[in-house]
Amino acid sequence: MLVGILLAILDPTAISHLFGKETGFIGVFISSMIGSITLMPGFVAFPTAHLLLQNGAGYMQIGAFISSLMMVGIATLPVEMKYFGKKITLTRNLLAFLFTFVVALVIGRVVG
């Protein structure tokens, strides 16, 4: 449902403008932020990434989006803090967020 809404709101030109290859670091950062706050299972995330790529998104930006989506959990912070504590939770999420940029750079070198 989220994919349908996203593609209905954003046409390929808008997707390319926000997440396209030419957006560079800003697009990677925006993608990482969106992925961090989105709660989506992998079986939905990967087809979503494919649709975004087909509609003009860049590989680095999608790599950052998927990485942050899978590793950073803003929506699940309260539960994680309850079980692991505030310090470990925040450290893990910060390191995971920073790692999304490493993933984006590697993808950029391999694909781009």
Side-chain angles (χ1 to χ4, degrees), residues 65-86:
F65 172 72
I66 292 293
S67 296
S68 63
L69 182 68
M70 294 291 136
M71 294 190 303
V72 181
I74 300 298
T76 58
L77 276 178
V79 173
E80 195 173 341
M81 282 184 193
K82 180 179 175 183
Y83 288 99
F84 299 119
K86 186 176 183 178

Side-chain angles (χ1 to χ4, degrees), residues 30-54:
I30 291 170
S31 298
S32 293
M33 292 300 293
I34 291 172
S36 296
I37 60 173
T38 305
L39 186 60
M40 185 185 307
F43 67 87
V44 176
F46 293 108
T48 302
H50 178 71
L51 289 172
L52 289 170
L53 284 169
Q54 286 180 330

